[in-house]
Amino acid sequence: MRSTGRGHSLELVEQARAGRVRAVARLISLVEDGAPEVREITAELCAAAGERPPPWVVGLTGAPGVGKSTSTSMLVRGFRERGLRVGVLAVDPSSPFTGGALLGDRVRMQDHATDPEVFIRSMASRGHLGGLAWATPQATRVLAAAGCEVILIETVGVGQAEVDVASLADTTIVLVAPGMGDGVQAAKAGILEIADVFVVNKADRDGAQAAIRDLRNMIALVERPWKPPIVPTVAVRGEGADDLLDALDRHLRHLEESGELARRRLARARDEIESIAVTALRSRFSVHGDARLDSLAAEVVAGATDPYTAADALLATLPS
């Protein structure tokens, strides 16, 4: 990819801070592509971070078909009615051929396409597990610099493993829907623990009350300072929007009063630093294609050594 140059990158940051949509889009593309300018861009964005209060980051996750995009659109409408600038990062599955996003969640949020106070960006997961794209944290920082007061992050929708969003969001919404086999399937295997608010969408369908009852029983089994409220909605018609916004407000107050908000944001920064450091170390000490690795692998296959001993031998040859 052709470099934009440091001067142009800093100009893009200034334009993004002024709320110019094209500059915001260009900066997110740069961080997605891992452009050489990302380090300077991030430094400029962080230097300006103290000029505005941090945005409220709300994550939405759940199994495919529960209505994440429709619910996101409903929330955008609710926050805009409060006069807030809203950013949306909708993470889509990647094409195995081009690496681009397949679904294009922006198509399902066209009601807000002409609103200059709403920025919607689809991001390809590019094989990253956990329901998010690798560049989601950096894209969130770009939207914050652009003055977004609320940032909604919609995960890719791959099922029970989408727990990464909890490490990036202040508030995590887990959506379930009745009539999808087990009504609380999305609330198992770790998803239950990350939910700050449960939404039973498509609540006009048969089985909605059973799903709500099952969720209540599961929540009662977990000892937490905050008991996630359960909000029934019919997002396609906007029903339950006020109740959902009220539940989100109550959770934000809990975070602020308990000190949990500061703790989550500190953990978020720590995780981002660790991720950058580990990626750099992996790149620095990469041994893929190393002749020594091939030789040691042959010894393991032949039974001349074991993988742990071989790994120790390989590490001993790397620079300290």
Side-chain angles (χ1 to χ4, degrees):
M1 191 190 95
R2 184 176 61 86
S3 174
T4 64
R6 175 180 171 84
H8 184 56
S9 297
L10 301 187
E11 181 182 348
L12 284 174
V13 172
E14 289 301 316
Q15 292 176 359
R17 290 170 59 191
R20 296 187 182 178
V21 173
R22 289 174 63 89
V24 175
R26 181 60 178 146
L27 284 175
I28 293 179
S29 294
L30 288 172
V31 299
E32 276 194 289
D33 293 340
E37 306 93 313
V38 168
R39 181 182 290 270
E40 288 78 16
I41 289 170
T42 303
E44 286 296 313
L45 292 174
C46 288
E51 297 177 3
R52 298 186 177 105
W56 182 14
V57 182
V58 179
L60 296 92
T61 189
V66 297
K68 291 191 298 296
S69 295
T70 312
S71 298
T72 300
S73 182
M74 181 177 72
L75 283 175
V76 171
R77 187 175 300 108
F79 284 122
R80 286 296 299 125
E81 289 174 356
R82 297 180 175 186
L84 300 176
R85 176 177 285 186
V86 182
V88 179
L89 296 174
V91 184
D92 286 329
S94 297
S95 163
F97 303 105
T98 66
L102 287 174
L103 297 181
D105 285 284
R106 285 175 291 182
V107 173
R108 294 189 287 278
M109 300 182 200
Q110 286 303 302
D111 291 348
H112 313 290
T114 59
D115 189 339
E117 297 300 306
V118 178
F119 184 90
I120 301 171
R121 175 65 176 244
S122 290
M123 300 182 69
S125 60
R126 303 191 182 187
H128 188 74
L129 301 178
L132 298 179
W134 180 86
T136 306
Q138 291 79 14
T140 302
R141 185 173 285 114
V142 173
L143 292 179
C148 291
E149 296 157 285
V150 177
I151 299 175
L152 304 175
I153 302 176
E154 178 193 334
T155 68
V156 74
V158 294
Q160 296 179 0
E162 293 183 54
V163 296
D164 280 5
V165 69
S167 65
L168 190 57
D170 300 318
T171 301
T172 300
I173 301 171
V174 172
L175 290 99
V176 300
M180 299 182 65
D182 182 354
V184 292
Q185 186 71 12
K188 295 182 177 178
I191 292 293
L192 176 64
E193 286 77 10
I194 71 167
D196 297 309
V197 176
F198 278 108
V199 170
V200 178
N201 192 33
K202 306 180 183 180
D204 53 342
R205 291 184 177 181
D206 292 340
Q209 290 304 313
I212 293 171
R213 183 178 61 249
D214 290 344
L215 282 171
R216 284 176 178 158
N217 292 336
M218 294 178 69
I219 292 170
L221 297 175
V222 180
E223 289 295 327
R224 292 177 58 181
W226 169 262
K227 292 291 186 182
I230 304 168
V231 182
T233 65
V234 184
V236 71
R237 297 201 296 262
E239 296 178 10
D242 290 341
D243 292 338
L244 178 53
L245 287 167
D246 179 65
L248 294 175
D249 288 339
R250 285 187 282 116
H251 182 252
L252 180 59
R253 286 196 298 271
H254 164 76
L255 291 176
E256 292 171 338
E257 292 169 1
S258 66
E260 178 68 9
L261 183 61
R263 191 199 67 80
R264 290 189 179 192
R265 289 177 174 174
L266 181 63
R268 185 187 310 166
R270 186 173 60 242
D271 290 345
E272 185 178 10
I273 295 168
E274 181 180 1
S275 176
I276 293 170
V278 169
T279 300
L281 286 172
R282 186 180 295 117
S283 174
R284 184 182 304 174
F285 296 112
S286 175
V287 294
H288 185 71
D290 193 312
R292 294 167 297 178
L293 179 60
D294 292 337
S295 175
L296 289 166
E299 292 182 26
V300 171
V301 171
T305 190
D306 64 88
Y308 286 95
T309 301
D312 288 340
L314 184 61
L315 288 171
T317 67
L318 295 177
S320 58

